Amino acid sequence: ALSITAQNGFDHYAQIGHGGVVAQGASRTGDITVGAAASVSLQGGASKSAYAQLGHGGVSSGNGTMGGNIHVTTAGDVSVRGGTGASTYASAYAQIGHGGTGATGAKSGSITIDSLGSQITVAGGTNTGATTGYYAMIGHGGDLNGGSAIGDIIINALQASLAVTAGAQARNFARIGHG
């Protein structure tokens, strides 16, 4: 199984890809391939910038170009879930794609998910505070995001159910798509 899980402290993020919190300026490019995992799970945390991401970028990662194809192959389920808890801070998201909260650069590359599992879940955060930005998405972009976002999104999961569910607070969205 592949688990990308943020923790519950400030800037306690987990990421496969170039960038990170406030990784300003430079371009971040290259393909990301994850294969043969029993399942794939991304879970946002419960504090400021406690995000989980499979892609280049991160919180406030600036205006550099982010590009490259992302390909995930799994024999099991895929779960992408925004953060939880009662924090008063934002950006505890989960994302398969380039970007992140406040990433303003151009984002490009195809995203392909091949799953033999029974469930694909994309769920916005379940935090109970007045916090926003606990989103979940498969695509390039994110919350408070600028710059272009292009590339195909292909989900091959013939035996899977698909659930896309928004969270309870503002900007705790769930999305398959760029934006």
Side-chain angles (χ1 to χ4, degrees):
L2 171 65
S3 177
I4 303 173
T5 304
Q7 295 301 312
N8 296 329
F10 278 19
D11 298 341
H12 289 186
Y13 64 93
Q15 182 172 355
I16 296 176
H18 304 308
V21 174
V22 196
Q24 297 282 324
S27 294
R28 294 162 292 280
T29 61
D31 294 344
I32 299 171
T33 302
V34 176
S39 62
V40 175
S41 171
L42 284 81
Q43 175 65 59
S47 192
K48 180 182 178 192
S49 303
Y51 66 89
Q53 186 166 347
L54 178 60
H56 306 316
V59 173
S60 300
S61 58
N63 61 3
T65 300
M66 293 162 261
N69 298 323
I70 299 171
H71 190 176
V72 176
T73 302
T74 179
D77 296 342
V78 176
S79 175
V80 182
R81 296 179 181 274
T84 62
S87 174
T88 57
Y89 298 99
S91 304
Y93 63 86
Q95 180 172 350
I96 297 175
H98 306 312
T101 300
T104 57
K107 296 155 281 292
S108 65
S110 65
I111 299 170
T112 304
I113 298 174
D114 294 316
S115 171
L116 297 176
S118 62
Q119 183 70 42
I120 307 289
T121 302
V122 181
T126 58
N127 62 313
T128 57
T131 305
T132 62
Y134 281 41
Y135 67 87
M137 71 183 286
I138 298 173
H140 305 315
D143 188 34
L144 304 174
N145 206 275
S148 61
I150 58 172
D152 294 334
I153 300 172
I154 301 166
I155 299 176
N156 296 310
L158 299 178
Q159 301 172 0
S161 298
L162 175 65
V164 181
T165 307
Q169 302 292 348
R171 298 191 346 250
N172 290 357
F173 58 85
R175 172 188 303 141
I176 296 175
H178 305 310

